[in-house]
Amino acid sequence: RLTAAGADGDGQQEAVDASWGGHGGPLKAVCLFSADVIKEWQAQGHGIEPGSCGENICLQGFNWNELVPGARVEIGPVLLEITQYVKPCGKQKPNFSDQKYSRMLQGKNPGYSRLYCAVLQGGVVQPGAQAVLHVRTRGAQPYTENPCVVGWPKKKSLVSRDTLLGLA
């Protein structure tokens, strides 16, 4: 069961407010990863397995580059919003034959990062449930296009704040 606090039974070893940000909390309630990326790395000889990276849910069949902060993922009754890319740590070394876990870093290898999500609508995710990506539906808006995240236009505009937010 997924709630705003995360996945039932999921425990992190670091506090939410650890000096580096920690795991968990409402903006990091769930961790998603690509089953297709895992299979690709397995084919390259790495020992990575589903769940070995700390992810709560593996999705398959998606272009992982399309899953960006601000997009939403619907899985059965659950609605998640991607909040950020996960920065990997040294605990990932055993997943790779060469110990080079930086291949999971979005800035170095786009489309290969795990994703943190907030739970907007909780519920139970059944194994094998179909996932639907929402980039501009179900309230989704990529953060890079959202004026509430990236800031209001600097120049005077004839477009009101309400229009930008879709409230007008």
Side-chain angles (χ1 to χ4, degrees):
R1 176 168 177 75
L2 301 180
T3 68
D8 285 354
D10 184 26
Q12 287 83 34
Q13 295 176 343
E14 293 85 11
V16 171
D17 61 352
S19 63
W20 52 272
H23 297 294
L27 298 178
K28 299 178 181 177
V30 173
C31 181
L32 298 179
F33 201 27
S34 168
D36 301 312
V37 167
I38 291 172
K39 289 176 189 171
E40 179 180 334
W41 285 337
Q42 287 174 332
Q44 295 170 5
H46 300 292
I48 190 169
E49 293 289 334
S52 68
C53 297
E55 70 276 14
N56 303 105
I57 298 174
C58 283
L59 301 176
Q60 66 181 27
F62 287 96
N63 175 346
W64 210 243
N65 283 309
E66 293 178 359
L67 282 84
V68 297
R72 294 181 177 183
V73 179
E74 183 177 10
I75 312 170
V78 172
L79 184 62
L80 306 172
E81 180 167 298
I82 299 167
T83 57
Q84 61 185 293
Y85 299 105
V86 178
K87 182 179 177 187
C89 70
K91 292 179 182 178
Q92 300 304 325
K93 284 182 181 180
N95 288 312
F96 302 102
S97 59
D98 58 6
Q99 308 267 309
K100 293 183 180 176
Y101 63 92
S102 63
R103 64 179 38 90
M104 302 176 81
L105 193 60
Q106 179 68 17
K108 181 175 182 172
N109 201 10
Y112 288 82
S113 176
R114 293 168 295 155
L115 305 165
Y116 277 133
C117 300
V119 178
L120 302 180
Q121 188 173 317
V124 176
V125 173
Q126 298 296 332
Q130 181 178 350
V132 178
L133 175 63
H134 297 281
V135 178
R136 287 183 178 74
T137 53
R138 291 292 314 258
Q141 183 176 16
Y143 290 175
T144 57
E145 299 173 10
N146 187 334
C148 291
V149 177
V150 297
W152 301 104
K154 303 279 187 245
K155 296 180 181 179
K156 290 190 176 193
S157 172
L158 298 177
V159 179
S160 73
R161 174 186 167 278
D162 288 348
T163 300
L164 285 172
L165 292 174
L167 302 173

